[in-house]
Amino acid sequence: MNLLATRQGRAVFDIWRADARRALRRLPRHQLHLVRALAPPRGSFPDFLNPPEASQGLAEGVEAVLSTPRRRLGQEMTVLARAPRWLRPLADGEPAALEFLGKALHGYFHAALAPHWPAVRAQVEADRAVRAREMLRGGVDALLSGLGPSLRWRPPVLESAYPFDRDLRLNGRGLLLVPSVFCWQTPITLTDPHLPPVLVYPVARSYRWWLPQQTGPEPRTLARLLGHGRAVVLRALEDGCTTSEVARRVGVTPATASEHVGILREAGLAASVRDRNTVLHVLTPLGASLLTANGCGRQ
């Protein structure tokens, strides 16, 4: 949200900014004022706007925001340096103000982010694949050492360029790493040190990140053989993923993803393995060969 009101990363974000601003003009002005007030271009913003439930989807994330306890709402909104007086009903947790916030968040997402969401997801999934390989290759040291120029791993400390001096001590709690397309240069953490530690870091992206990914011949070849839905799911399994991850990558419901994976498994193109409470789906050699033969596999 706050990146839209700045000029940071013009080569990377200006085309997105132009598209988003055109779409946002169609929203009610008071919704835009609310979003801008809660996420200013500089300074801190309330932690409740970044709930962990957002990883499950827009509806789940917004519901978590609106379920924030009243006391926490009031406490966290004090971080806003110049909060206008009309934010007081929201800080007090008034139901009408919360309902209005939900509409504003939905409106903002569908106007500014939804048209580019497939490209955003592609960048994030690619970054996760890279981090997973680094972790497998060299463990935590390799993972943390490869997070980018704004983060420096000097065991046991992860240093970051940050607007002000701040120490975040994990005390054995672990650290959730969140890749972000819209994080520009400086990583972001939650303001409250007592919340589970989170570090939002920028992904490596080109200045043409918003363009759709080239899919090669898949729509005319692999899709004819398997059907478009299962062809897309087969490609999604190339790096291995759970049913919910397939659903997010492909943009279908978990039930549809499960059905497609089941048919691919019955055909010998995919395999599923249980790891404790998680089922991971991967390509079989036959499935990988099918992708490669159709020019869709990893080169």
Side-chain angles (χ1 to χ4, degrees), residues 10 12-13 17 31 174-175 206 281:
R10 296 189 61 184
V12 178
F13 296 116
R17 284 191 181 103
Q31 288 188 8
L175 177 66
S206 72
H281 310 296

Side-chain angles (χ1 to χ4, degrees), residues 7-285:
R7 297 168 63 93
Q8 294 177 330
R10 296 189 61 184
V12 178
F13 296 116
D14 269 5
I15 290 183
W16 165 73
R17 284 191 181 103
D19 289 346
R21 286 166 179 161
R22 280 193 295 269
L24 288 170
R25 291 191 193 106
R26 297 192 289 270
L27 293 182
R29 184 168 296 182
H30 44 292
Q31 288 188 8
L32 296 180
H33 288 168
L34 176 59
V35 172
R36 289 170 180 166
L38 291 175
R42 292 178 180 81
S44 299
F45 52 89
D47 289 333
F48 68 79
L49 292 174
N50 293 289
E53 293 84 355
S55 63
Q56 302 170 24
L58 174 65
E60 293 82 356
V62 172
E63 179 59 30
V65 170
L66 303 187
S67 300
T68 304
R70 179 178 299 183
R71 182 176 180 182
R72 184 181 171 190
L73 284 171
Q75 289 175 339
E76 293 191 0
M77 288 184 64
T78 61
V79 304
L80 296 170
R82 296 191 178 111
R85 291 182 180 178
W86 50 263
L87 282 180
R88 173 51 56 186
L90 180 60
D92 291 340
E94 294 186 8
L98 288 169
E99 181 181 359
F100 183 73
L101 173 60
K103 292 179 180 178
L105 293 176
H106 276 282
Y108 182 92
F109 177 87
H110 288 294
L113 300 177
H116 300 281
W117 203 242
V120 171
R121 294 296 310 174
Q123 295 288 320
V124 170
E125 295 295 346
D127 184 86
R128 284 176 174 167
V130 170
R131 305 304 165 206
R133 292 189 186 97
E134 290 174 344
M135 185 74 174
L136 289 172
R137 185 187 74 248
V140 173
D141 283 336
L143 171 65
L144 296 179
S145 297
L147 287 178
S150 60
L151 289 159
R152 296 173 298 279
W153 173 234
R154 298 179 180 176
V157 177
L158 183 63
E159 299 178 349
S160 167
Y162 213 70
F164 53 87
D165 290 336
R166 182 184 178 190
D167 292 330
L168 178 60
R169 300 186 182 277
L170 301 184
N171 296 323
R173 292 178 294 172
L175 177 66
L176 177 62
L177 298 174
V178 180
S180 171
V181 170
F182 297 103
C183 182
W184 178 247
Q185 294 184 332
T186 303
I188 300 170
T189 64
L190 298 178
T191 302
D192 186 349
H194 300 294
L195 291 173
V198 174
L199 181 67
V200 181
Y201 66 92
V203 302
R205 86 235 99 175
S206 72
Y207 69 97
R208 296 169 66 84
W209 65 268
W210 63 86
L211 294 178
Q213 299 294 304
Q214 298 298 319
T215 58
E218 180 268 329
R220 292 188 298 274
T221 55
L222 199 59
R224 285 183 181 179
L225 176 64
L226 301 176
H228 176 73
R230 281 187 287 279
V232 175
V233 169
L234 187 70
R235 296 193 66 188
L237 297 181
E238 193 170 16
D239 294 313
C241 50
T242 64
T243 301
S244 60
E245 288 170 345
V246 172
R248 288 198 300 269
R249 292 181 184 185
V250 178
V252 297
T253 65
T256 300
S258 179
E259 179 183 1
H260 285 322
V261 170
I263 293 173
L264 294 174
R265 186 170 55 243
E266 291 174 5
L269 302 176
S272 300
V273 59
R274 178 173 292 277
D275 180 17
R276 288 171 288 185
N277 296 325
T278 300
V279 177
L280 185 69
H281 310 296
V282 297
L283 292 179
T284 63

